[in-house]
Amino acid sequence: MDILFAQIQADLRSNDALRQSGALLQALQQSAAGRDTSPIAKTAVEEIVAAPSSAVSKKLAFDLIRSSPRLTPHLWDSLISGVISDFHFPDPDVSAAAVSFLSAIPSHLLSSLISQSHQTISSFFDSSSSNLRFSITETLGCILARDDLVVLCENNVNLLDRVSSWWGRIGLNMLDPSDAVSKVAFDSVGRLFKEFESKKMSRLAGDKLVDSENSVAIRSNWVSSMVDFVWKRRVSLMSRALVLPVESFRASVFPLVYGVKAVASGSVEAIRKLSSKGSAADGVTPLVSGNAEKFVGVSDVVMHLSPFLESLDPALIFEVAINMLYLADVPGGKPEWASGSIIAILTLWDRQEFSSARESIVRAVVTNLHLLDLNMQVSLFKRLLLMVRNLRAESDRMHALACICRTALCVDLFAKESVRRGQKPLAGTDIASLFEDVRIKEDLNSVTSKSLFREELVASLVESCFQLSLPLPEQKNSGMESRVIGALAYGTGYGALNWTEPALEVVEVCRPCVKWDCEGRTYAIDCYLKLLVRLCHIYDTRGGVKRVKDGASQDQILNETRLQNLQRELVNDLREVNTPRVSARLIWALAEHIDLEGLDPLLADDPDDPLNIIVANIHKVMLNMDSSAMSTNRLQDVQAVLLSAQRLGSRNSRAGQLLSKELEEFRNNGSVDSVNKHQCRLILQRIKYATLYPDYRWAGVSEAKGDYPFSHHKLTVQFYEVSAAQDRKLEGLVHKAILELWRPDPSELALMLSSKIDSTLLKIPPRAFALTGSSDPCYVEAYHLADPSDGRMTLHLKVINLTEIELNRVDIRVGLTGALYFMDGSPQAVRQLRNLVSQDPVPCSITVGASHFERCALWLQVLYYPFYGMGPIHYEGEGEDPQIVQQKKSSKPELGEPVILRCQPYKIPLTELLLPHKISPVEYFRLWPSLPAIVEYTGMYTYEGSGFMATAAKQYDASPFLIGLKSLESKPFHKVCSHIIRTVAGFQLCYAAKTWHGGFLWMMIFGASEVSRNVDLGDETTTMMCKFVVRASDASITKEIESDLQGWLDDLTDGGCEYLPEDEVRTAAAERLKISMERIALLKAAKPRHKDKSESEEESSGEELDDEEREKRKKKKDKKKLQEEEKSKGPSTLSKLTAEEVEHLALQAAVIQEWHVLCKDRETKVY
């Protein structure tokens, strides 16, 4: 390999262009194979980039340098000098190659290069060479939209003016005579628009920057100016796009559509208010004053794009159709625009080249369904469900189902309201039309199914109904959601109960789901029963069907009649239910809300009577002893039917008689445990009391509340079942898709556009730490930003020259310790800063990666050269070591002798390598014992206040007793749950997190306060003792924490909590115990002993009685005293403690018990 590299370097040093090109191709091949080509890159910089060469060799050399893992700062200097010299090369192809390399230059060197060569770069736009114009347009289009350049412009006004003028030139190049230049200009403008909303390119480039108000204003100014240009020159741009080659036409679509949409929807005015002209934007006249001109402009673009929907290029069809859908949503948009686009997209479904993009096709169609007219929406439902059923990606399938279900509810509501207002009814607009397809209907009515699609569909429908019952979100701006919200508001009439009509249709259509055998999964059926119970409670099915003279409307009477009929059908379906758990829950849902008073008394002995069927199924569930019932956790099923029996028997005498017989039989069964026997006895007493004293029973005992007290979450022993895991996964997918659609989180850009400019919406950069002293000649402060998705951290530095002279060169050397590594694999990084003016801050940044969870730091060294460029320095000292003198003489004389400043290390907190892990409390406590690695330690902090002021019961101001752990709210932990003992300052907090690399780290904090004994004048201080228990999935995580417990506490609490060693904790506990025992002894000694009459007589009689007689008299006396106390008190189970005191005692006992269970020192006794 060394021989091959030597041969390549020798060819590069030759003057033969052909040999150089061949050598560079060989080097690129070696680089692609993963070998280190740094020596060859160094030779390429010196022999090709920094010397005259052909355009082909230059391009190949730049490609090799891009792929090289690292370059030294001196090589970067040579490289930039070579690039600047190539700008003036006579051959425009060489200049174009040099221009293309600008995008690979680091941002800390880019600013100075632009400052030196801005005039030359501007002149390239007017070059007669189309290749050079193409290169400058493409390169600047990539660079100018990035975050790092926006930050550079924020700190340099001259650079901002140049970049703004360059954007204008890029916009003019969209009309360039050359097709290649015009296409790349369209691409660049489209990239600017996309970057304004998504910042996708900045993330790919590795920029981890925080937007400030100025950076948002700068980018908004560029976007608004380009939108103005596109709108004013839209006719010319459309004409230029028409003469582009077909394969290049795609690039022109998005910039045109975005600019026209921004003007037509009015968002450009909000963007202008965000820009630097924000203060004067209120006085600027709008770009377009009337709606007619906006509509004409949009129509022109639609007519321009429509013919391309019939193109032969599938990618062009998709691009044009997506952008036409984007335009169809503007005010005044026509459904025909959307229908043509959706039809064109659907034609791509069977295309071979689009088989891997079917998720994108479905997502595009279902997201824009609301733009179509009702007829087309209805006709699309059946086909879309079959298309969605075949999608492989679960997230796309859930999103599509959520869109379809919401649109189906919207269509149903809209059509019903239109009929109420006298319009002609439209066929196929009801919810049942979703299930008209033969395959969907068969899947719904079959008992077993191999796919989960039917469960996903029912769960999505039901969850959409629950979202419809909530208040509709407010729409301040016209956008993609405005038509949906408007149609839903039109359909519900903003009425509180209008949503129940489509919900009633949903529970009617989905009734067969209670018969499903889903192999233990119950999530979809639980959703269905929850909606059924909610509707029964709203319509009060217990009271029967209301009448007109009671004030009921015709719609209400119809809906209640349908619901009563549905209940009777579900009662009959009880015999066909295949899952014991579903049977028990369906019994509860029906028994809780069925109209018992409306049953015919003459059919009391009929086996088909609803009450008889319910009682028979209760008997079946209670006495079901087969193995399948036992494996599905029969305990929950029995508890559910016992609850149903108690509430059902308490509100109807006939039901009470039937259930009393069943409960007696169940109670006398030999296989019933003692707990269920005692529970049956209690239920029988309650039913008996309610039967004997019907006028005295409390009405609220058996009142229906509309709650569904069950869930698909199973007991701890069953969390390892496959069905339980599938239920939890399905619930997460459905909830995420529904919430993203119905209650989406607005983007920061949308928030800023809706409320002009508000500094609270912009991210605040983290607090910077000073790494040098205030008297040092160079002041350095730093902060870091973490990107867990890429496993990277970026350290942002601000260097200020505090001397009175201009420093021509300052080097920042960065070394790493711990798990950090540089992205290019080099052992250290060097940033060279040039021409530091006094008191002028200069930013720079270093991006590093983290390989694993470990404490790490960045070590900085600042080298500044006060004599840089002042000629060589001669050393004639005789007392110096000769070797040092030789090293100084051998160094480059033009640099001068550097002054080295060693900075404080920048330590990365361990918490920065964590992510919040959202988890339910049940799952948290289930998995807690399974985490193998554990570390325990004690912390302490003090807070002011005592008594009531120091407890959590304080109602108005924030209680100070958790002040030491306040910073945990900003740390990357998910707070699972917390138990606060209100009467004393005690608590238990549970947190869950995971590392960047997949390990779990969970933490419990137990706290108990103690009033300080040494209290000075002023407020009393109270000491909070905190027991921290950390469990992790890997021993390396706890080992890293245990290596520096105080440092870990500082990372968690920002220095608010102090670590206490175990010896001090044990000593303090023994001292507190000793003091408590002494106080108890003093109290006992000071308290006079109470003597009764018999004891005084015994003492007066002397000591003539022996010990045996005295013992007998004492026992007799104690027995008599006990009988008197029982007689005086009588039998009672009442406690003198209030309910709140009992709650406090129970919580306190739970926290203390958990603390002692997890206590490391088992020998410490607690009194």
Side-chain angles (χ1 to χ4, degrees), residues 402-551:
C403 289
I404 291 173
C405 292
R406 185 178 72 165
T407 309
L409 293 174
C410 179
V411 168
D412 185 73
L413 282 167
F414 193 89
K416 284 184 171 59
E417 183 63 23
S418 299
V419 171
R420 287 194 200 100
R421 300 188 182 190
Q423 298 182 18
K424 184 179 179 180
L426 184 64
T429 55
D430 51 355
I431 302 296
S433 63
L434 284 176
F435 302 92
E436 285 183 356
D437 185 81
V438 177
R439 282 171 286 184
I440 302 293
K441 186 179 293 185
E442 287 179 356
D443 204 7
L444 180 67
N445 290 299
S446 62
V447 175
T448 59
S449 177
K450 294 182 180 179
S451 70
L452 295 176
F453 178 73
R454 61 178 186 176
E455 299 173 46
E456 297 167 351
L457 177 57
V458 170
S460 300
L461 259 179
V462 172
E463 293 291 352
S464 298
C465 289
F466 282 123
Q467 289 295 325
L468 190 59
S469 68
L470 301 175
L472 297 175
E474 296 182 3
Q475 289 292 316
K476 296 181 180 178
N477 293 333
S478 62
M480 297 294 288
E481 300 297 314
S482 58
R483 296 192 178 206
V484 180
I485 302 304
L488 292 176
Y490 173 83
T492 57
Y494 292 100
L497 294 180
N498 286 5
W499 70 273
T500 57
E501 294 187 7
L504 180 57
E505 195 165 343
V506 167
V507 293
E508 287 178 339
V509 172
C510 299
R511 179 175 63 86
C513 73
V514 298
K515 305 176 189 177
W516 289 349
D517 182 8
C518 300
E519 299 177 353
R521 298 184 300 272
T522 62
Y523 171 64
I525 306 173
D526 279 325
C527 290
Y528 173 82
L529 294 178
K530 191 188 300 183
L531 180 60
L532 175 68
V533 169
R534 180 77 64 87
L535 291 175
C536 290
H537 176 67
I538 290 174
Y539 283 106
D540 188 21
T541 53
R542 278 189 177 190
V545 179
K546 313 302 182 295
R547 294 173 295 183
V548 176
K549 65 178 184 179
D550 296 328

Side-chain angles (χ1 to χ4, degrees), residues 1015-1046:
V1015 179
D1016 298 330
L1017 295 176
D1019 294 335
E1020 294 184 3
T1021 59
T1022 306
T1023 302
M1024 180 67 72
M1025 303 290 292
C1026 297
K1027 182 77 171 182
F1028 292 80
V1029 183
V1030 179
R1031 300 195 77 144
S1033 59
D1034 190 359
S1036 62
I1037 298 175
T1038 54
K1039 182 179 178 181
E1040 193 63 33
I1041 293 173
E1042 204 168 8
S1043 63
D1044 185 7
L1045 290 173
Q1046 183 59 59

